[in-house]
Amino acid sequence: MAGPPRSANSSSERFCNCSLGWNTGHRKIVKCWGSRVLTLHADHSADLLTAYYAALYADIRLAAPIPLFGPPGIADRLAGFLTNTSTRSPIESAFAVSELHDGHQVAIGSLRLTSRAVAHDIPAFAVRIEAAGGSLVYSGDTAPCPGLTQLAEGCDVLLCEAESAQAPDEGDQVHHTPEDAGDTARAARADRLVVTHVGRFLTPQQAVDRASARFDGPVDYAAPGTSFTVGQATSAAVRSTS
């Protein structure tokens, strides 16, 4: 979304969400403006371990530590993974760490990012990314909640998790079902819904079909290699095998 609306993979400079995976090749590390971690569960944060080693020990030189935005305690969580002696690993040499809070806002390049706390079993955040009149909201891991719906109000694309095949009979709900994703998109008046983080008891097509029953706009699955153009009159998915 940097600059004019375009597909997400059209620029070599990008803001990275670590749950989407790091490439340890030099190009993506060097050209990354920053990184955002929305929950400290390992599937959203473990890629930072590779990024840490690449930033400090590969044959590249960072002009400055990579901006890293994450839940409270993220620096100590990484240090706990990476420290092997009595001396704490120098997390801050690789990352310029900023802790998120409800309502946190920051500008990175042409991107404006706003975070809201959401409903999960540990502190978690959703993020709204805006640039050049386009807006994408990523739910992170969360149950349906007012914070996410408010953050996604009127967005071009809601990228929403649909991990659960059904809501739990007991205990707190911590993820969306596909129907929940459709309901959130409808309540937020999003233009388009893209489901992601689909759980193992669902197929992607089942998630799309079930979400579509609750939301009248376009619904897609965030399949690997797919790019979505954000901010144009008609947002389209572009299939890619790269």
Side-chain angles (χ1 to χ4, degrees), residues 26-117:
H26 298 177
R27 178 176 59 86
K28 286 191 179 179
I29 297 294
V30 172
K31 293 293 187 180
C32 185
W33 290 338
S35 183
R36 198 175 194 89
V37 175
L38 301 179
T39 175
L40 292 182
H41 281 155
D43 58 331
H44 288 258
S45 60
D47 289 335
L48 287 172
L49 308 182
T50 302
Y52 168 84
Y53 280 105
L56 293 189
Y57 304 118
D59 56 345
I60 59 175
R61 294 293 180 267
L62 297 177
I66 300 168
L68 172 62
F69 303 89
I74 186 170
D76 288 341
R77 177 68 173 261
L78 291 176
F81 278 119
L82 292 164
T83 299
N84 298 314
T85 68
S86 59
T87 302
R88 182 180 182 274
S89 290
I91 304 302
E92 291 77 8
S93 296
F95 302 110
V97 178
S98 297
E99 293 189 346
L100 297 175
H101 57 79
D102 190 38
H104 179 278
Q105 293 185 314
V106 67
I108 299 181
S110 63
L111 305 179
R112 300 182 303 278
L113 295 93
T114 302
S115 296
R116 289 294 308 269

Side-chain angles (χ1 to χ4, degrees), residues 149-232:
T149 302
Q150 293 163 10
L151 185 69
E153 179 68 29
C155 67
D156 292 308
V157 176
L158 172 60
L159 177 63
C160 189
E161 66 117 293
E163 195 277 340
S164 296
Q166 61 184 27
D169 294 328
E170 299 180 358
D172 294 333
Q173 184 174 355
V174 297
H175 289 289
H176 277 65
T177 65
E179 289 82 2
D180 292 330
D183 289 343
T184 295
R186 185 183 71 250
R189 296 183 295 177
D191 286 346
R192 186 187 197 99
L193 172 63
V194 179
V195 293
T196 188
H197 204 320
V198 173
R200 62 193 179 98
F201 296 110
L202 292 164
T203 68
Q205 190 59 53
Q206 287 172 335
V208 168
D209 291 344
R210 288 171 55 174
S212 297
R214 301 292 188 93
F215 177 62
D216 292 335
V219 180
D220 286 284
Y221 168 64
T226 302
S227 300
F228 294 88
T229 300
V230 177
Q232 294 180 335

